[in-house]
Amino acid sequence: MSEDQSDAQPVRAGRTIPFFARVFFLVALAFTTLGLIESAFIIYDLFSGHSLSSQRAPDLGLGIRSWTEHHALRPGFSSPGVHINSLGLRSPEIQTPKPAGTIRILLLGDSFTFGLRASDDEVFARKLEQRLRHDNGFSSVEVVNAGVLSYCPLLEYLQYRHHLHVLEPNLVVLNFDMSDVQDHMAYARDAVWSSNG
């Protein structure tokens, strides 16, 4: 081989990785990292008593989404101080149709009526029922607590129209507070009304 030919050949420093392979590697690394992060959250959720599950899927907690009222209480939910009946109300089970001679009072409202941070026997509905039955001698009175967190008159109307009218209340008491104005404006924007209201 002549001296000219040996000088013409390039010296190989090593193989270069093609651009496509580099991009593929970076995408695979990103997905692997995301998978490891999600796996860490799942493991944390398992060992923390599903503390993240209620954030990821709200219907696992006290509240559920509703087609007719935006949100409602989850029927059958039970925690140390809160028990929700099969109708999704914070009351003992309610007999329908209403037994003869029963005077039924239905309380509608938001978290104040619901009794946020109060145990079942300390909510206003139970106290009112106790006073009417024992102190005033109305043994056939039932007070039904239909309070739901973040409700307003719009949602209470829909709740009564779609579900609670079957309870045949003798008296309906609506608890209104100033937070209801803001809640009403927010929910009214999302409401879709049929031709019959």
Side-chain angles (χ1 to χ4, degrees):
M1 177 186 299
S2 72
E3 199 170 305
D4 291 338
Q5 287 178 333
S6 63
D7 289 339
Q9 290 183 345
V11 177
R12 290 190 172 212
R15 290 183 47 180
T16 59
I17 300 172
F19 177 75
F20 174 75
R22 289 185 214 168
V23 170
F24 179 78
F25 174 76
L26 289 175
V27 170
L29 181 64
F31 277 106
T32 302
T33 303
L34 289 174
L36 290 172
I37 292 170
E38 184 170 354
S39 297
F41 278 118
I42 291 169
I43 291 168
Y44 174 79
D45 191 47
L46 287 172
F47 287 106
S48 67
H50 301 289
S51 63
L52 297 177
S53 296
S54 60
Q55 302 295 325
R56 189 175 68 241
D59 288 355
L60 296 176
L62 171 65
I64 58 172
R65 292 165 281 197
S66 170
W67 284 103
T68 54
E69 294 96 33
H70 184 271
H71 65 281
L73 299 178
R74 182 163 60 99
F77 176 83
S78 185
S79 71
V82 177
H83 298 86
I84 307 301
N85 69 19
S86 61
L87 296 174
L89 305 175
R90 190 176 186 184
S91 280
E93 288 298 331
I94 303 161
Q95 189 175 353
T96 53
K98 182 175 67 173
T102 299
I103 300 169
R104 188 170 281 165
I105 300 171
L106 178 64
L107 304 181
L108 300 175
D110 59 6
S111 56
F112 292 104
T113 303
F114 172 81
L116 188 63
R117 296 188 182 93
S119 61
D120 287 338
D121 57 342
E122 292 294 319
V123 298
F124 176 73
R126 298 290 63 81
K127 294 291 187 181
L128 176 60
E129 188 176 80
Q130 181 181 8
R131 295 275 314 258
L132 290 172
R133 284 183 178 179
H134 302 295
D135 299 347
N136 295 319
F138 296 111
S139 59
S140 60
V141 169
E142 286 181 2
V143 180
V144 178
N145 183 357
V148 180
L149 296 110
S150 298
Y151 260 33
C152 66
L154 171 61
L155 298 184
E156 289 144 6
Y157 161 74
L158 294 171
Q159 180 190 32
Y160 185 84
R161 180 179 175 126
H162 289 290
H163 307 289
L164 300 182
H165 66 280
V166 300
L167 300 179
E168 305 171 90
N170 298 90
L171 176 65
V172 176
V173 178
L174 174 65
N175 177 19
F176 180 85
D177 64 77
M178 290 313 295
S179 68
D180 290 347
V181 176
Q182 180 180 353
D183 290 338
H184 179 85
M185 289 172 56
Y187 295 130
R189 283 194 303 264
D190 296 333
V192 177
W193 297 95
S194 64
S195 59
N196 64 355

